[in-house]
Amino acid sequence: VQLQAFGGGLVQAGGSLRLSCAASGSIPSINYMGWYRQAPGKQREWVARAVSGGEPNYADSVKGRFTISRDNAKNTVSLEMNNLKPEDTGVYYCNANVQRSGSSMYLEHWGQGTLVTVSS
């Protein structure tokens, strides 16, 4: 299973960006897809998650500004980021919990990351 993320870039504070991520490979089922981010010099933190059959979840720091959406048929997840702040700067990683083929186990998969820079 491979996750390909894209859509990062440079934006001024108050601006918007949309990140997208596509999962490919042998994918019987996906439990959830989401996003994490890592700011320079900090640990990776969870941002948002779209769970199958459930409501999306958001970190408090992005609630009301970010919207996650998922296309189950295409195995894609997007993150619409509005009213961006300099503290949103970081590398954003796509994450998916994917069923292993021929098994009932679900494994975590990560994309390569895409850089978001918000200037003040």
Side-chain angles (χ1 to χ4, degrees):
V1 175
Q2 290 187 328
L3 299 180
Q4 181 71 38
F6 44 93
L10 173 64
V11 65
Q12 287 188 332
S16 299
L17 277 177
R18 181 180 178 88
L19 306 181
S20 295
C21 175
S24 61
S26 178
I27 303 175
S29 173
I30 298 179
N31 183 19
Y32 57 79
M33 298 185 78
W35 295 90
Y36 283 70
R37 68 185 181 188
Q38 188 167 16
K42 295 188 176 181
Q43 291 188 334
R44 190 176 298 189
E45 65 174 1
W46 170 71
V47 175
R49 178 175 294 169
V51 183
S52 293
E55 293 295 318
N57 304 123
Y58 300 94
D60 287 343
S61 58
V62 306
K63 203 172 292 184
R65 300 186 298 120
F66 291 11
T67 302
I68 189 170
S69 58
R70 182 178 159 187
D71 186 327
N72 294 330
K74 297 181 179 180
N75 292 329
T76 60
V77 64
S78 297
L79 187 68
E80 184 74 29
M81 305 184 293
N82 298 314
N83 190 21
L84 283 161
K85 304 176 181 181
E87 51 263 41
D88 294 318
T89 294
V91 177
Y92 283 69
Y93 296 90
C94 175
N95 160 257
N97 187 247
V98 180
Q99 184 180 9
R100 184 176 179 180
S101 294
S103 170
S104 60
M105 291 179 56
Y106 281 76
L107 302 176
E108 294 292 303
H109 296 272
W110 295 87
Q112 82 285 6
T114 184
L115 178 63
V116 172
T117 304
V118 184
S119 63
S120 57

